Amino acid sequence: MKLLDTNKKNQVLQSMMDIIEKRRAEIIEENKKDLEAFDRDDQALYDRLVVNEAKIDGMIQAIKEVKEQEDPVGKEISSITLDSGLKVTNKTDPFGTILIIYESRPDVTIEAAVLAFKANNKILLKGGKEAINSNLILEKCWHEALAENDLDKDWIKLLHLKREETQEFLRNPTEKIDLIVPRGSERLIKFVKDHATCAVLISGRGNNFLYVAEDANWEKAVKVIINAKTEKISGCNALDKVLIDKNIPNYEAKLKEIQEILSGVNVEIVVDEKIGKTLTNASKIPNEDTWYEEFLAMKILLAEVDGLDEVIDTINKYSGGHSASILTESKEKAAKFMEQIDSAAVYHNASTRFTDGGQMGVGAELAISTDKLHHRGPLGLKQLVTNKYYVYGDGHVRV
């Protein structure tokens, strides 16, 4: 993979910002074709598909932020001179070729590609058929930006493959692929893992949990629950499950209050058997599968728990390893929860909606990784490189 000069990469990004601004109306018009052909029954997926003025502003801002970030390639991680005289230096290095497979969201065609390109990777994009018109116009924008700066359009390209063709490409790629990042449903992620022959970095499902401890400030808890559940239901950082400690003061009254508040903002509630004894008109959890489900809808599960140990066991069993929050006024309880919950992001008295590159100071993100190798959490520019050892000698041989 040819290493590009930082200035050259930034020139491409500046061209891309100018082109998107110039072709703004055309991009929105192509997106309308996708929206008109889409089944509105899946509201979360529809929300992700929409490209409007605000989304285009976000695309341009994402490119600007990446352009302004330091180039992550060739940075020295460590350097040591051994007793033998060998000098060993470890530096950051591009992955090579990254394949990004995603559903619905056309903005991924911009945000994922810009990050991977600034980290000097070649990018293959496999978007969903529901966003084909949007992705095609955005690919044209990329190719125009590359051509303006005398670079081959193969640096960033869409794969025009059907499902069966994608499956065969994953098994027997026609070119070398170093990393695959699937972004989307659990079904998509499983499809990629089952068929890929190279490294796959999982951008996992949400299924995020929140625990209201017995000493929680109830006003804070209600505020956080409503925000985490309703602010953006299509986000992988949206809240799905709430565990309420049975020892909280005025327990039954607070259950009825939270039911009334959630119902008032059109959130469907399902409850376990214990809470069902108080909220008698609420739907009961149909089976254990519901505990594993990421809702991506105006739906929430409420369950009763008795203490922190039960909470930790429950979350670590059922969650997607994405985000989990505790509402408590005890720093000791918060510390135990945050240390023992096995998730990419853990929160004390805050909404799970903050699990986002921009909110966490990472900047634009490729995905939220729930893998532990090589990185967990928001995948920003600095995380889209690997490393290489440079070893300098003078005729050294090992004896």
Side-chain angles (χ1 to χ4, degrees), residues 17-219:
M17 286 189 283
D18 296 340
I19 291 164
I20 291 176
E21 183 61 54
K22 180 178 65 178
R23 303 183 76 169
R24 180 184 287 259
E26 188 180 352
I27 293 168
I28 291 175
E29 191 61 35
E30 290 300 306
N31 178 251
K32 285 181 181 177
K33 296 177 183 178
D34 294 327
L35 295 176
E36 289 168 359
F38 191 78
D39 183 356
R40 285 293 298 267
D41 287 346
D42 191 335
Q43 186 61 42
L45 208 58
Y46 182 87
D47 291 345
R48 290 174 173 177
L49 181 58
V50 172
V51 175
N52 51 25
E53 296 287 351
K55 282 278 184 76
I56 291 180
D57 289 342
M59 292 177 188
I60 294 171
Q61 181 62 26
I63 299 171
K64 181 176 183 290
E65 289 175 1
V66 173
K67 178 176 177 284
E68 292 173 351
Q69 288 188 62
E70 185 179 11
D71 193 326
V73 178
K75 300 303 178 187
E76 186 177 290
I77 300 170
S78 64
S79 185
I80 186 172
T81 300
L82 305 179
D83 292 342
S84 62
L86 279 178
K87 182 179 179 181
V88 181
T89 300
N90 189 13
K91 295 183 181 180
T92 57
D93 202 54
F95 275 102
T97 299
I98 299 178
L99 168 60
I100 304 159
I101 302 180
Y102 52 106
E103 296 170 322
S104 191
R105 291 179 51 181
D107 46 334
V108 172
T109 307
I110 300 300
E111 294 174 8
V114 69
L115 286 162
F117 177 74
K118 179 73 181 267
N120 217 107
N121 298 290
K122 179 180 177 181
I123 304 99
L124 303 178
L125 299 163
K126 175 61 183 76
K129 62 183 180 180
E130 68 280 354
I132 183 62
N133 295 293
S134 306
N135 287 335
L136 283 171
I137 183 64
L138 293 173
E139 182 192 36
K140 289 178 183 177
C141 293
W142 274 121
H143 288 172
E144 186 178 339
L146 290 163
E148 280 186 7
N149 293 279
D150 302 316
L151 290 178
D152 195 295
K153 67 180 183 180
D154 282 350
W155 274 98
I156 302 171
K157 65 180 182 181
L158 278 173
L159 296 179
H160 304 284
L161 304 174
K162 297 178 182 177
R163 181 179 175 85
E164 296 76 18
E165 294 170 327
T166 302
Q167 179 176 314
E168 180 58 29
F169 183 81
L170 291 173
R171 288 175 172 167
N172 299 293
T174 54
E175 57 184 293
K176 185 176 183 291
I177 299 174
D178 299 283
L179 179 68
I180 301 176
V181 182
R183 290 191 58 169
S185 67
E186 196 169 1
R187 186 167 65 93
L188 170 67
I189 293 167
K190 185 177 187 305
F191 174 82
V192 174
K193 288 176 70 177
D194 286 348
H195 300 294
T197 54
C198 69
V200 177
L201 198 155
I202 302 303
S203 173
R205 63 192 176 94
N207 194 27
N208 303 312
F209 279 69
L210 180 145
Y211 168 48
V212 183
E214 62 178 296
D215 66 333
N217 179 302
W218 183 247
E219 185 178 342

Side-chain angles (χ1 to χ4, degrees), residues 268-285:
E268 176 190 350
I269 300 170
V270 294
V271 299
D272 68 352
E273 290 185 7
K274 294 176 181 176
I275 286 185
K277 293 175 182 177
T278 299
L279 306 183
T280 55
N281 60 341
S283 300
K284 306 300 186 295
I285 298 170

Side-chain angles (χ1 to χ4, degrees), residues 224-393:
V224 169
I225 290 168
I226 297 302
N227 175 264
K229 177 66 265 180
T230 67
E231 199 267 335
K232 186 179 179 183
I233 62 170
S234 62
C236 60
N237 50 22
L239 181 63
D240 293 295
K241 314 294 189 305
V242 177
L243 307 178
I244 303 176
D245 200 293
K246 72 174 189 177
N247 300 303
I248 194 168
N250 302 314
Y251 177 62
E252 292 188 358
K254 285 174 178 171
L255 289 181
K256 292 175 182 177
E257 179 186 345
I258 194 65
Q259 179 188 36
E260 182 179 355
I261 292 170
L262 287 166
S263 297
V265 290
N266 300 314
V267 176
E268 176 190 350
I269 300 170
V270 294
V271 299
D272 68 352
E273 290 185 7
K274 294 176 181 176
I275 286 185
K277 293 175 182 177
T278 299
L279 306 183
T280 55
N281 60 341
S283 300
K284 306 300 186 295
I285 298 170
N287 53 58
E288 191 179 19
D289 290 345
T290 306
W291 281 97
Y292 292 99
E293 184 181 350
E294 178 187 23
F295 295 143
L296 295 174
M298 291 288 274
K299 179 179 179 180
I300 201 164
L301 182 154
L302 306 180
E304 179 184 296
V305 288
D306 184 11
L308 189 52
D309 289 336
E310 181 184 349
V311 168
I312 291 168
D313 290 343
T314 300
I315 295 176
N316 286 342
K317 178 178 180 180
Y318 293 113
S319 85
H322 190 292
S323 301
S325 181
I326 181 172
L327 272 293
T328 179
E329 295 303 296
S330 166
K331 292 182 179 180
E332 291 75 19
K333 283 182 183 176
K336 181 176 178 179
F337 177 93
M338 298 171 86
E339 289 164 0
Q340 296 192 21
I341 292 295
D342 188 14
S343 292
V346 287
Y347 292 86
H348 178 201
N349 289 344
S351 169
T352 57
R353 286 283 292 126
F354 288 102
T355 308
D356 172 271
Q359 295 292 324
M360 288 184 155
V362 174
E365 70 186 36
L366 177 65
I368 304 292
S369 170
T370 53
D371 264 355
K372 296 182 181 180
L373 292 175
H374 76 293
H375 178 78
R376 186 155 64 157
L379 281 167
L381 184 60
K382 291 181 180 179
Q383 289 76 43
L384 285 178
V385 289
T386 181
N387 66 296
K388 181 192 292 185
Y389 281 92
Y390 293 72
V391 184
Y392 303 92

